């Protein structure tokens, strides 16, 4: 399985479990949480966990980027 496949799977699972991102602030909160988990995995030198958390960080960032332009997301986020 490629990294792209892993990203797609992670994004689909997150959307099924949590729904669409509601705002940039929500996205930032999720991103920070995933970043903290990645940092812990790196400090633990756990390769499998580093990979998993890095994919999750990337998936959250992509979900935020994809949400931009959705009128409800933009309005809740205060975007122009």
């Amino acid at each position: 399985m490629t990294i792209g496949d892993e990203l797609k799977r992670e994004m689909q699972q997150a959307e099924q479990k949590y729904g669409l991102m509601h705002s940039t602030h929500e996205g930032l909160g999720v991103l920070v949480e995933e970043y903290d988990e990645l940092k812990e995995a790196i400090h633990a030198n756990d390769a499998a966990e580093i990979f998993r958390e890095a994919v999750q960080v990337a998936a959250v960032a992509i979900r935020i980027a994809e949400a931009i332009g959705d009128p409800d997301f933009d309005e809740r986020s205060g975007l122009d």
Side-chain angles (χ1 to χ4, degrees):
M1 186 174 282
T2 68
I3 291 175
D5 293 335
E6 287 290 331
L7 275 169
K8 287 178 191 174
R9 184 189 59 74
E10 181 63 37
M11 291 168 59
Q12 289 170 346
Q13 284 182 341
E15 190 168 321
Q16 287 173 355
K17 188 172 183 178
Y18 303 110
L20 299 173
M21 287 278 175
H22 292 97
S23 69
T24 53
H25 285 81
E26 177 190 26
L28 179 60
V30 175
L31 186 61
V32 168
E33 179 182 336
E34 295 302 339
Y35 167 80
D36 287 343
E37 292 171 1
L38 174 60
K39 186 169 62 171
E40 288 175 19
I42 290 170
H43 288 291
N45 287 327
D46 184 335
E49 192 67 12
I50 292 167
F51 179 85
R52 188 174 78 80
E53 295 300 338
V55 167
Q56 289 181 352
V57 166
V60 171
I62 291 168
R63 289 183 70 219
I64 294 167
E66 287 183 339
I68 294 172
D70 175 270
D72 292 332
F73 180 88
D74 290 355
E75 183 179 342
R76 286 189 296 267
S77 300
L79 299 177
D80 298 328

